[in-house]
DNA sequence: TAGTTTAATCGTAAAGCTACGATAAACGAT
DNA sequence: ATCGTTTATCGTAGCTTTACGATTAAACTA
């Protein structure tokens, strides 16, 4: 697999890196865990649970949404966030490929 | 699980985020795949395979080493890199916990 | 309609990431 | 000893991330 400047990396590498970046902050991991256990969650509850300002949490939520791991649905004045099944499935798939290609060869 | 300013996140969240950050660049994912398939690898071979300057690749290798996912062993004037079993195992463990706590609840 | 609640966005400061060329350090070979 | 090879490190530019307070926008509530 030779790489050139125009075809820098495979799309799987690029996409997995993108998803990994979304997980690259403890607050965002905490948010995902929270959404999984409570099944869905009003934005305010997430803010209350995290040791971060409302604006910062909103920013983290936006990142998770942009990358496709969660989605938010407006519910009156509030916003209800939940996991985005499509994104989670994609992450699982790309991860298990890495698991097979990398981890399995090692341990 | 209430969080305070002194105990911001759990150590698992923090460590997984750290490992995820190491995966948050396609070049570093490519490096891990390369080390897995070739089993071990002279630094120069990695540089040749990637569309990046030597200094940049060296920087990516350093990050992977610092986080514990690879190790490098000096072999004359060259350096031979390989996966670090301990770090890979840790990543698998933290990942499967996330898989159980998050993914399984969703799909 | 006025006031309150909720969440996104704006503006911004500080820190970190990514890339590269240039340089230094370590080693083998001549 | 000197030279070429190999890799790490330095210095630096440009961009991104993270954090927060302040503000805005939207939607209930009295």
């Amino acid at each position: 697999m030779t790489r050139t400047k125009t075809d820098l990396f495979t799309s799987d590498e690029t996409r997995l890196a993108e998803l990994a970046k979304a997980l690259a902050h403890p607050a965002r991991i905490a948010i995902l865990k929270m959404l999984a256990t409570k099944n869905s969650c009003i934005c305010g509850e997430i803010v209350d649970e995290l040791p971060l300002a409302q604006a910062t949490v909103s920013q983290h939520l936006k990142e998770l949404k942009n990358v496709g791991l969660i989605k938010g649905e407006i519910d009156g004045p509030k916003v209800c966030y939940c996991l985005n099944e499509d994104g989670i499935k994609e992450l699982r798939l790309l991860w298990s490929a890495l698991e097979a290609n990398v981890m399995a060869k090692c341990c």
Side-chain angles (χ1 to χ4, degrees), chain A:
Chain A
M1 197 207 308
T2 308
R3 300 167 199 282
T4 68
K5 293 288 175 186
T6 51
D7 165 39
L8 296 178
F9 296 104
T10 70
S11 65
D12 275 7
E13 282 162 0
T14 302
R15 179 58 174 152
L16 180 54
E18 208 168 81
L19 289 165
K21 178 147 58 172
L23 300 180
H25 193 291
R28 293 194 291 268
I29 291 178
I31 289 170
L32 292 178
K33 279 162 65 177
M34 224 179 135
L35 293 183
T37 52
K38 305 186 110 163
N39 197 33
S40 84
C41 214
I42 300 301
C43 174
E45 298 179 56
I46 302 172
V47 172
D48 289 344
E49 188 110 356
L50 295 179
L52 295 169
Q54 179 265 325
T56 307
V57 173
S58 194
Q59 215 169 256
H60 284 305
L61 287 167
K62 189 178 180 181
E63 258 175 276
L64 287 170
K65 203 168 82 176
N66 284 343
V67 82
L69 287 176
I70 68 173
K71 51 190 174 182
E73 171 178 319
I74 294 169
D75 171 26
K78 309 187 177 180
V79 175
C80 183
Y81 282 97
C82 63
L83 297 178
N84 180 351
E85 199 171 321
D86 289 349
I88 299 286
K89 273 183 179 155
E90 193 189 3
L91 176 54
R92 283 184 114 164
L93 210 67
L94 288 169
W95 183 266
S96 60
L98 192 73
E99 186 108 34
N101 290 332
V102 174
M103 321 283 186
K105 309 290 171 85
C106 161
C107 48

